[in-house]
Amino acid sequence: MTESLDHRFTKFLLDAQALKFGEFTLKSGRKSPYFINAGAFNDGRKIATLGAFYAEKIAVEIEAGNLPNDIDTIFGPAYKGIPLGVSTAIALTSDHGMEVGYTFDRKEKKDHGDGGMMVGTQLTDDMKVLLVDDVMTAGTAVREVIPKLKAEANVEVVGLVLSVDRMEKTKDSDTSAVKAVEAEFGFPVFAIANVREIFEAGQHIETADGTAYVTDEIKAAADAYLEQYGA
């Protein structure tokens, strides 16, 4: 039987040592029993594989009618989103036959050479832009990047694709960050996998010594965390 996308992606996260278990203080201040470290995708093979997973998820959503098939550019917000945008655009072209650009923003506006705030495919009116990012906890990055895009041109943001949906409610509501962003901006948000899928898959993926990556203890800690913060 063919393994599901979320199962294969979980195995990749574990192999790349991007999924860690323990106690981690998040940017939100919450203490989480798991952490997804985007910095672990630190060589050509890993970032190419990650881009292929993003491209596969995008292709699935295009096939389902949830994303348009004429996306103009993949936008990855600086800095972590830059390799995501580039590797996703490469994989969409090479694996799925899509002619698509990539764009990312500068942290500071360049006042010499070609100038401007954007690198890669330049944004123009009516362009269809798909955002990619790693993990959303509060949606802060999206709220920062949308005004930058709109300041460049009257683009249409058609969606956002994440690696992992932590499925956590925001600090001031019972709504998840993903649902809050969808409601605020009017475009869909997709994730290659969500935390529940990851922990389910992790119980069936074994380490080199034959034990499950996600033990009963780890699963119990994750369940307790999601009971408190999950949306």
Side-chain angles (χ1 to χ4, degrees), residues 71 104 131 160 174 178 190 199:
I71 297 163
F104 59 87
L131 308 181
L160 165 64
D174 287 332
V178 164
F190 307 100
F199 278 95

Side-chain angles (χ1 to χ4, degrees), residues 69-74 89-94 96-102 121 128:
N69 62 6
D70 56 348
I71 297 163
D72 293 298
T73 192
I74 306 295
I90 291 170
L92 283 170
T93 302
S94 62
H96 301 278
M98 288 179 61
E99 289 292 330
V100 62
Y102 71 84
T121 299
K128 290 184 172 68

